[in-house]
Amino acid sequence: MRRIGVLTSGGDSPGMNAAVMAVAKAARYHGMSLIGIKRGYNGTLCRSHHVEDDMVELDLDTILDIADQPGTYLRTARCLDFLRPEMRAHAVSNIHEMGIEGIVVIGGDGSYHGAMELCDLGIPCVGIPGTIDNDLAYTEMTLGYDTAVNSCVDDIRAIRATSRSHDRPAVVEVMGRHCGDIALKAAAGSGAEICIVPEVSWSIQEVADRLARLIDVGNPRATVVVAEGAWDSMQPMDWHRYLRENGVRVHDDDPITTAMLAKILKFKTKAEARPTVLGYTQRGRTPSAYDSWFAFEAGSLAVNLLRNGIGNQVIGIKDGRVYYLPISMALQQKREFNLSLYNLINSL
Ligand code: F6P
């Protein structure tokens, strides 16, 4: 291959730039030119006024400067148009026109589906799991997950310091979509006493009882870490009515939030529980050493696979080593939630 492309797609994750740098280094080493495709699959559709907003030749010097930066230099987006076959055909003709012979796709499971479609249309693709969520079963860690967990642990430590000063509990929401892994590791890493995740059914009453027990035994400043997807596994409770009875104005169609949960816990335990949603701070950090290492090895392996004519693969970590397997096999694997760690956090 003489020319390859690279794109970042879906939610950004720390380490995406480092992976692009590794791809750029490996491409140069093997004498290939590299095209950066902008805003995920959108770039392949070439709809911008200026071509460099869609596809641009990447010069290694620029990439070296951004390798340690958080975010993604190539920009990222979700591209619903790519679900339409006629748009994918249009993308393939643009890719051919640019002389791109293979693509490194850095993103999560949605991006992998796009990569499989491109492979079926004759464009070899290799995926790198760029998402903080750690929701891909075939890899021990996704790229950005370690940084996101470290970011949460730092922030929860800060919250616990002020909780301690005021002797009051904290309820902290972390990201992860439908996956509780960020919550689990962040809770374990920060010494949080209660963890709520989408994988395990829970009730507000049970959390309130546990918090009340902690307060009883002399810990009035416990931390509850809640995964953003945990509302899906919450047992039904008429919390709208409960809050109204306690003088809080809520509409029947208001969804439950971390702030509401903190209020309910406050009424049930009489402790001043305070909410914090960590949000995008988890995605915008400088990549950890672990993520930078993974990005480096994954990026260079991706280029090696493409130059050897091996497409339709994704890269992951198994037994601490970087490896690859076919995309379809990777997507078939079922995630196994670490229930014993969950039980440990919630029981000790
Ligand atoms: O998939 C990564 C992620 O950060 C999730 O944890 C979160 O639910 C989602 O993206 C947020 O996406 P957006 O950037 O569209 O708000």
Side-chain angles (χ1 to χ4, degrees):
M1 276 184 196
R2 276 159 307 155
R3 172 173 273 189
I4 59 170
V6 60
L7 63 85
T8 54
S9 159
D12 67 347
S13 71
M16 280 182 160
N17 281 332
V20 172
M21 179 200 67
V23 169
K25 274 186 169 178
R28 178 142 101 176
Y29 181 78
H30 295 296
M32 296 189 281
S33 68
L34 179 65
I35 299 294
I37 300 169
K38 300 277 191 76
R39 297 178 179 82
Y41 291 105
N42 288 292
T44 62
L45 300 175
C46 295
R47 292 179 293 194
S48 302
H49 291 304
H50 305 290
V51 67
E52 59 276 16
D53 284 339
D54 290 317
M55 299 204 203
V56 68
E57 177 124 25
L58 287 183
D59 118 48
L60 184 57
D61 291 338
T62 316
I63 298 304
L64 282 176
D65 283 347
I66 53 98
D68 304 331
Q69 304 280 317
T72 164
Y73 170 78
L74 293 176
R75 310 290 186 269
T76 186
R78 298 176 172 101
C79 180
L80 288 179
D81 280 343
F82 213 73
L83 297 171
R84 291 163 50 198
E86 67 277 18
M87 293 307 246
R88 290 198 297 271
H90 179 50
V92 168
S93 106
N94 291 331
I95 291 165
H96 284 314
E97 203 167 301
M98 287 295 290
I100 298 171
E101 295 172 87
I103 300 180
V104 180
V105 172
I106 308 171
D109 58 348
S111 315
Y112 280 5
H113 281 104
M116 269 202 300
E117 298 284 0
L118 280 182
C119 291
D120 287 348
L121 294 168
I123 312 282
C125 292
V126 174
I128 296 177
T131 167
I132 61 166
D133 295 340
N134 210 37
D135 56 353
L136 292 164
Y138 78 93
T139 180
E140 282 160 16
M141 296 250 214
T142 56
L143 180 63
Y145 169 68
D146 182 64
T147 310
V149 170
N150 278 297
S151 162
C152 291
V153 168
D154 272 357
D155 289 344
I156 296 171
R157 282 179 180 150
I159 292 167
R160 281 169 78 78
T162 158
S163 292
R164 191 162 53 230
S165 307
H166 291 264
D167 278 328
R168 64 187 179 201
V171 184
V172 185
E173 181 186 307
V174 301
M175 279 186 166
R177 237 180 352 154
H178 308 298
C179 179
D181 281 15
I182 295 180
L184 194 66
K185 287 283 169 63
S190 62
E193 288 79 357
I194 298 174
C195 181
I196 310 174
V197 294
E199 290 86 347
V200 184
S201 159
W202 62 285
S203 73
I204 295 186
Q205 190 56 51
E206 168 201 345
V207 173
D209 290 345
R210 288 208 318 252
L211 199 55
R213 264 200 308 278
L214 286 161
I215 295 167
D216 269 359
V217 297
N219 180 359
R221 66 231 194 246
T223 307
V224 181
V225 174
V226 50
E228 65 174 352
W231 312 119
D232 295 344
S233 59
M234 186 180 96
Q235 288 164 28
M237 167 197 174
D238 194 350
W239 60 270
H240 294 92
R241 203 181 75 191
Y242 180 83
L243 281 178
R244 274 198 287 267
E245 283 168 3
N246 282 283
V248 180
R249 282 225 230 141
V250 277
H251 295 292
D252 280 340
D253 49 2
D254 282 346
I256 182 117
T257 61
T258 295
M260 306 272 191
L261 175 62
K263 275 202 172 80
I264 301 170
L265 293 176
K266 177 173 151 183
F267 292 128
K268 284 188 179 284
T269 63
K270 310 281 174 271
E272 280 286 325
R274 292 292 163 97
T276 308
V277 176
L278 294 184
Y280 296 100
T281 56
Q282 298 155 82
R283 288 213 319 227
R285 302 278 185 203
T286 301
S288 65
Y290 186 94
D291 280 329
S292 301
W293 154 73
F294 180 32
F296 174 71
E297 227 179 300
S300 43
L301 176 56
V303 174
N304 239 330
L305 290 171
L306 288 177
R307 67 182 265 278
N308 286 307
I310 307 172
N312 221 344
Q313 308 289 312
V314 286
I315 295 173
I317 303 171
K318 193 175 171 189
D319 301 326
R321 304 291 290 263
V322 168
Y323 83 119
Y324 64 94
L325 76 170
I327 306 180
S328 58
M329 279 174 68
L331 290 177
Q332 272 162 27
Q333 294 191 22
K334 293 265 167 296
R335 275 188 59 242
E336 208 177 301
F337 181 68
N338 188 344
L339 194 60
S340 58
L341 179 56
Y342 170 87
N343 286 332
L344 200 61
I345 296 165
N346 286 304
S347 61
L348 284 189

PDB file of all heavy atoms in Angstrom, residues 10-13 78 108 130-133 135 174-179 182 228-229 279-280 282-283, ligand 1:
ATOM      1  N   GLY A  10     -17.014   8.741  16.829  1.00  0.00           N
ATOM      2  CA  GLY A  10     -17.745   8.552  18.096  1.00  0.00           C
ATOM      3  C   GLY A  10     -17.260   9.557  19.135  1.00  0.00           C
ATOM      4  O   GLY A  10     -16.614  10.558  18.802  1.00  0.00           O
ATOM      5  N   GLY A  11     -17.546   9.307  20.419  1.00  0.00           N
ATOM      6  CA  GLY A  11     -17.079  10.206  21.486  1.00  0.00           C
ATOM      7  C   GLY A  11     -15.550  10.210  21.520  1.00  0.00           C
ATOM      8  O   GLY A  11     -14.931   9.161  21.348  1.00  0.00           O
ATOM      9  N   ASP A  12     -14.926  11.365  21.717  1.00  0.00           N
ATOM     10  CA  ASP A  12     -13.455  11.360  21.745  1.00  0.00           C
ATOM     11  C   ASP A  12     -12.955  10.640  23.001  1.00  0.00           C
ATOM     12  O   ASP A  12     -13.721  10.439  23.960  1.00  0.00           O
ATOM     13  CB  ASP A  12     -12.885  12.789  21.658  1.00  0.00           C
ATOM     14  CG  ASP A  12     -13.196  13.632  22.877  1.00  0.00           C
ATOM     15  OD1 ASP A  12     -14.044  13.238  23.695  1.00  0.00           O
ATOM     16  OD2 ASP A  12     -12.593  14.710  23.024  1.00  0.00           O
ATOM     17  N   SER A  13     -11.708  10.217  22.963  1.00  0.00           N
ATOM     18  CA  SER A  13     -11.156   9.542  24.144  1.00  0.00           C
ATOM     19  C   SER A  13      -9.668   9.863  24.240  1.00  0.00           C
ATOM     20  O   SER A  13      -8.995  10.000  23.214  1.00  0.00           O
ATOM     21  CB  SER A  13     -11.387   8.026  24.082  1.00  0.00           C
ATOM     22  OG  SER A  13     -10.585   7.445  23.110  1.00  0.00           O
ATOM     23  N   ARG A  78     -20.358  11.523  15.216  1.00  0.00           N
ATOM     24  CA  ARG A  78     -21.118  10.321  14.850  1.00  0.00           C
ATOM     25  C   ARG A  78     -21.733  10.651  13.490  1.00  0.00           C
ATOM     26  O   ARG A  78     -22.109  11.795  13.257  1.00  0.00           O
ATOM     27  CB  ARG A  78     -22.159  10.008  15.912  1.00  0.00           C
ATOM     28  CG  ARG A  78     -21.465   9.716  17.253  1.00  0.00           C
ATOM     29  CD  ARG A  78     -22.408   9.476  18.403  1.00  0.00           C
ATOM     30  NE  ARG A  78     -21.653   9.036  19.562  1.00  0.00           N
ATOM     31  CZ  ARG A  78     -21.302   9.815  20.603  1.00  0.00           C
ATOM     32  NH1 ARG A  78     -21.660  11.079  20.631  1.00  0.00           N
ATOM     33  NH2 ARG A  78     -20.615   9.322  21.608  1.00  0.00           N
ATOM     34  N   GLY A 108     -15.391   3.462  18.871  1.00  0.00           N
ATOM     35  CA  GLY A 108     -16.063   2.408  19.631  1.00  0.00           C
ATOM     36  C   GLY A 108     -16.858   1.460  18.736  1.00  0.00           C
ATOM     37  O   GLY A 108     -16.596   1.366  17.536  1.00  0.00           O
ATOM     38  N   GLY A 130     -11.087   3.151  20.492  1.00  0.00           N
ATOM     39  CA  GLY A 130     -11.026   4.468  21.144  1.00  0.00           C
ATOM     40  C   GLY A 130     -12.347   4.838  21.786  1.00  0.00           C
ATOM     41  O   GLY A 130     -13.251   5.361  21.136  1.00  0.00           O
ATOM     42  N   THR A 131     -12.491   4.544  23.049  1.00  0.00           N
ATOM     43  CA  THR A 131     -13.664   4.957  23.832  1.00  0.00           C
ATOM     44  C   THR A 131     -13.321   4.849  25.312  1.00  0.00           C
ATOM     45  O   THR A 131     -12.617   3.915  25.713  1.00  0.00           O
ATOM     46  CB  THR A 131     -14.914   4.097  23.531  1.00  0.00           C
ATOM     47  OG1 THR A 131     -15.913   4.353  24.530  1.00  0.00           O
ATOM     48  CG2 THR A 131     -14.618   2.607  23.531  1.00  0.00           C
ATOM     49  N   ILE A 132     -13.830   5.794  26.101  1.00  0.00           N
ATOM     50  CA  ILE A 132     -13.538   5.692  27.536  1.00  0.00           C
ATOM     51  C   ILE A 132     -14.387   4.614  28.215  1.00  0.00           C
ATOM     52  O   ILE A 132     -14.124   4.235  29.350  1.00  0.00           O
ATOM     53  CB  ILE A 132     -13.779   7.038  28.273  1.00  0.00           C
ATOM     54  CG1 ILE A 132     -15.240   7.487  28.174  1.00  0.00           C
ATOM     55  CG2 ILE A 132     -12.832   8.103  27.776  1.00  0.00           C
ATOM     56  CD1 ILE A 132     -15.602   8.612  29.155  1.00  0.00           C
ATOM     57  N   ASP A 133     -15.429   4.125  27.513  1.00  0.00           N
ATOM     58  CA  ASP A 133     -16.450   3.323  28.200  1.00  0.00           C
ATOM     59  C   ASP A 133     -16.001   1.918  28.625  1.00  0.00           C
ATOM     60  O   ASP A 133     -16.632   1.318  29.493  1.00  0.00           O
ATOM     61  CB  ASP A 133     -17.694   3.192  27.317  1.00  0.00           C
ATOM     62  CG  ASP A 133     -18.369   4.539  27.092  1.00  0.00           C
ATOM     63  OD1 ASP A 133     -18.126   5.461  27.883  1.00  0.00           O
ATOM     64  OD2 ASP A 133     -19.141   4.660  26.125  1.00  0.00           O
ATOM     65  N   ASP A 135     -16.422  -0.788  26.994  1.00  0.00           N
ATOM     66  CA  ASP A 135     -17.594  -1.635  26.763  1.00  0.00           C
ATOM     67  C   ASP A 135     -17.390  -2.634  25.626  1.00  0.00           C
ATOM     68  O   ASP A 135     -18.351  -3.159  25.079  1.00  0.00           O
ATOM     69  CB  ASP A 135     -18.820  -0.747  26.472  1.00  0.00           C
ATOM     70  CG  ASP A 135     -18.586   0.206  25.307  1.00  0.00           C
ATOM     71  OD1 ASP A 135     -17.455   0.295  24.810  1.00  0.00           O
ATOM     72  OD2 ASP A 135     -19.552   0.867  24.888  1.00  0.00           O
ATOM     73  N   VAL A 174     -20.521   9.237  37.086  1.00  0.00           N
ATOM     74  CA  VAL A 174     -19.447   9.110  36.091  1.00  0.00           C
ATOM     75  C   VAL A 174     -20.035   8.594  34.781  1.00  0.00           C
ATOM     76  O   VAL A 174     -21.166   8.105  34.745  1.00  0.00           O
ATOM     77  CB  VAL A 174     -18.321   8.164  36.595  1.00  0.00           C
ATOM     78  CG1 VAL A 174     -17.714   8.691  37.892  1.00  0.00           C
ATOM     79  CG2 VAL A 174     -18.821   6.733  36.764  1.00  0.00           C
ATOM     80  N   MET A 175     -19.264   8.682  33.712  1.00  0.00           N
ATOM     81  CA  MET A 175     -19.745   8.264  32.384  1.00  0.00           C
ATOM     82  C   MET A 175     -19.635   6.745  32.196  1.00  0.00           C
ATOM     83  O   MET A 175     -19.321   6.024  33.126  1.00  0.00           O
ATOM     84  CB  MET A 175     -18.958   8.982  31.299  1.00  0.00           C
ATOM     85  CG  MET A 175     -19.441  10.379  31.028  1.00  0.00           C
ATOM     86  SD  MET A 175     -18.553  11.059  29.605  1.00  0.00           S
ATOM     87  CE  MET A 175     -19.578  12.475  29.246  1.00  0.00           C
ATOM     88  N   GLY A 176     -19.861   6.290  30.974  1.00  0.00           N
ATOM     89  CA  GLY A 176     -19.731   4.861  30.677  1.00  0.00           C
ATOM     90  C   GLY A 176     -20.863   4.308  29.833  1.00  0.00           C
ATOM     91  O   GLY A 176     -20.904   3.114  29.560  1.00  0.00           O
ATOM     92  N   ARG A 177     -21.814   5.148  29.479  1.00  0.00           N
ATOM     93  CA  ARG A 177     -22.993   4.701  28.728  1.00  0.00           C
ATOM     94  C   ARG A 177     -23.642   3.502  29.433  1.00  0.00           C
ATOM     95  O   ARG A 177     -24.000   3.606  30.571  1.00  0.00           O
ATOM     96  CB  ARG A 177     -22.588   4.375  27.296  1.00  0.00           C
ATOM     97  CG  ARG A 177     -23.411   5.187  26.359  1.00  0.00           C
ATOM     98  CD  ARG A 177     -23.177   5.010  24.896  1.00  0.00           C
ATOM     99  NE  ARG A 177     -22.082   4.225  24.448  1.00  0.00           N
ATOM    100  CZ  ARG A 177     -22.039   3.600  23.290  1.00  0.00           C
ATOM    101  NH1 ARG A 177     -23.071   3.680  22.476  1.00  0.00           N
ATOM    102  NH2 ARG A 177     -20.990   2.921  22.917  1.00  0.00           N
ATOM    103  N   HIS A 178     -23.745   2.325  28.764  1.00  0.00           N
ATOM    104  CA  HIS A 178     -24.421   1.193  29.409  1.00  0.00           C
ATOM    105  C   HIS A 178     -23.454   0.302  30.185  1.00  0.00           C
ATOM    106  O   HIS A 178     -23.798  -0.814  30.575  1.00  0.00           O
ATOM    107  CB  HIS A 178     -25.148   0.355  28.353  1.00  0.00           C
ATOM    108  CG  HIS A 178     -26.028   1.187  27.495  1.00  0.00           C
ATOM    109  ND1 HIS A 178     -27.090   1.904  28.011  1.00  0.00           N
ATOM    110  CD2 HIS A 178     -25.987   1.465  26.180  1.00  0.00           C
ATOM    111  CE1 HIS A 178     -27.669   2.580  27.034  1.00  0.00           C
ATOM    112  NE2 HIS A 178     -27.020   2.331  25.913  1.00  0.00           N
ATOM    113  N   CYS A 179     -22.250   0.786  30.400  1.00  0.00           N
ATOM    114  CA  CYS A 179     -21.211  -0.038  31.026  1.00  0.00           C
ATOM    115  C   CYS A 179     -20.802   0.576  32.368  1.00  0.00           C
ATOM    116  O   CYS A 179     -20.531   1.772  32.446  1.00  0.00           O
ATOM    117  CB  CYS A 179     -20.018  -0.121  30.066  1.00  0.00           C
ATOM    118  SG  CYS A 179     -18.646  -1.069  30.709  1.00  0.00           S
ATOM    119  N   ILE A 182     -16.272   2.131  34.412  1.00  0.00           N
ATOM    120  CA  ILE A 182     -15.628   3.351  34.929  1.00  0.00           C
ATOM    121  C   ILE A 182     -16.047   3.535  36.389  1.00  0.00           C
ATOM    122  O   ILE A 182     -15.214   3.794  37.260  1.00  0.00           O
ATOM    123  CB  ILE A 182     -16.005   4.600  34.086  1.00  0.00           C
ATOM    124  CG1 ILE A 182     -15.453   4.476  32.673  1.00  0.00           C
ATOM    125  CG2 ILE A 182     -15.478   5.879  34.758  1.00  0.00           C
ATOM    126  CD1 ILE A 182     -15.768   5.673  31.766  1.00  0.00           C
ATOM    127  N   GLU A 228     -23.548   6.571  34.817  1.00  0.00           N
ATOM    128  CA  GLU A 228     -24.634   7.319  34.159  1.00  0.00           C
ATOM    129  C   GLU A 228     -25.740   6.407  33.606  1.00  0.00           C
ATOM    130  O   GLU A 228     -26.876   6.834  33.464  1.00  0.00           O
ATOM    131  CB  GLU A 228     -24.088   8.200  33.034  1.00  0.00           C
ATOM    132  CG  GLU A 228     -23.479   7.414  31.883  1.00  0.00           C
ATOM    133  CD  GLU A 228     -23.055   8.288  30.701  1.00  0.00           C
ATOM    134  OE1 GLU A 228     -23.363   9.487  30.687  1.00  0.00           O
ATOM    135  OE2 GLU A 228     -22.406   7.747  29.790  1.00  0.00           O
ATOM    136  N   GLY A 229     -25.390   5.124  33.324  1.00  0.00           N
ATOM    137  CA  GLY A 229     -26.399   4.209  32.768  1.00  0.00           C
ATOM    138  C   GLY A 229     -27.164   3.459  33.836  1.00  0.00           C
ATOM    139  O   GLY A 229     -27.996   2.600  33.528  1.00  0.00           O
ATOM    140  N   GLY A 279     -18.976  14.327  34.256  1.00  0.00           N
ATOM    141  CA  GLY A 279     -19.164  14.693  32.843  1.00  0.00           C
ATOM    142  C   GLY A 279     -17.905  14.644  31.995  1.00  0.00           C
ATOM    143  O   GLY A 279     -17.077  13.745  32.130  1.00  0.00           O
ATOM    144  N   TYR A 280     -17.762  15.652  31.125  1.00  0.00           N
ATOM    145  CA  TYR A 280     -16.750  15.596  30.069  1.00  0.00           C
ATOM    146  C   TYR A 280     -15.314  15.749  30.562  1.00  0.00           C
ATOM    147  O   TYR A 280     -14.384  15.560  29.778  1.00  0.00           O
ATOM    148  CB  TYR A 280     -17.063  16.644  28.998  1.00  0.00           C
ATOM    149  CG  TYR A 280     -18.372  16.344  28.324  1.00  0.00           C
ATOM    150  CD1 TYR A 280     -19.533  17.010  28.687  1.00  0.00           C
ATOM    151  CD2 TYR A 280     -18.460  15.336  27.367  1.00  0.00           C
ATOM    152  CE1 TYR A 280     -20.746  16.696  28.106  1.00  0.00           C
ATOM    153  CE2 TYR A 280     -19.667  15.021  26.783  1.00  0.00           C
ATOM    154  CZ  TYR A 280     -20.811  15.700  27.145  1.00  0.00           C
ATOM    155  OH  TYR A 280     -22.005  15.376  26.577  1.00  0.00           O
ATOM    156  N   GLN A 282     -13.884  13.720  32.159  1.00  0.00           N
ATOM    157  CA  GLN A 282     -13.308  12.374  32.014  1.00  0.00           C
ATOM    158  C   GLN A 282     -12.757  12.124  30.619  1.00  0.00           C
ATOM    159  O   GLN A 282     -11.884  11.288  30.420  1.00  0.00           O
ATOM    160  CB  GLN A 282     -14.390  11.306  32.274  1.00  0.00           C
ATOM    161  CG  GLN A 282     -14.942  11.355  33.658  1.00  0.00           C
ATOM    162  CD  GLN A 282     -16.346  10.775  33.739  1.00  0.00           C
ATOM    163  OE1 GLN A 282     -16.518   9.570  33.824  1.00  0.00           O
ATOM    164  NE2 GLN A 282     -17.355  11.622  33.718  1.00  0.00           N
ATOM    165  N   ARG A 283     -13.283  12.845  29.631  1.00  0.00           N
ATOM    166  CA  ARG A 283     -12.846  12.604  28.248  1.00  0.00           C
ATOM    167  C   ARG A 283     -11.720  13.538  27.831  1.00  0.00           C
ATOM    168  O   ARG A 283     -10.998  13.230  26.878  1.00  0.00           O
ATOM    169  CB  ARG A 283     -14.035  12.805  27.301  1.00  0.00           C
ATOM    170  CG  ARG A 283     -15.056  11.717  27.398  1.00  0.00           C
ATOM    171  CD  ARG A 283     -15.758  11.401  26.101  1.00  0.00           C
ATOM    172  NE  ARG A 283     -16.135  12.507  25.282  1.00  0.00           N
ATOM    173  CZ  ARG A 283     -17.332  12.654  24.720  1.00  0.00           C
ATOM    174  NH1 ARG A 283     -18.267  11.751  24.945  1.00  0.00           N
ATOM    175  NH2 ARG A 283     -17.588  13.666  23.942  1.00  0.00           N
TER     176      ARG A 283
HETATM  177  O1  F6P B   1     -19.111   6.796  24.575  1.00  0.00           O
HETATM  178  C1  F6P B   1     -18.372   7.719  25.274  1.00  0.00           C
HETATM  179  C2  F6P B   1     -19.276   8.656  26.023  1.00  0.00           C
HETATM  180  O2  F6P B   1     -18.457   9.601  26.679  1.00  0.00           O
HETATM  181  C3  F6P B   1     -20.234   8.013  27.008  1.00  0.00           C
HETATM  182  O3  F6P B   1     -19.603   7.667  28.210  1.00  0.00           O
HETATM  183  C4  F6P B   1     -21.290   9.066  27.111  1.00  0.00           C
HETATM  184  O4  F6P B   1     -22.532   8.508  27.453  1.00  0.00           O
HETATM  185  C5  F6P B   1     -21.349   9.629  25.733  1.00  0.00           C
HETATM  186  O5  F6P B   1     -20.101   9.372  25.130  1.00  0.00           O
HETATM  187  C6  F6P B   1     -21.637  11.099  25.664  1.00  0.00           C
HETATM  188  O6  F6P B   1     -21.698  11.461  24.333  1.00  0.00           O
HETATM  189  P1  F6P B   1     -21.821  12.925  23.767  1.00  0.00           P
HETATM  190  O7  F6P B   1     -20.452  13.394  23.464  1.00  0.00           O
HETATM  191  O8  F6P B   1     -22.642  12.753  22.535  1.00  0.00           O
HETATM  192  O9  F6P B   1     -22.510  13.736  24.821  1.00  0.00           O
END
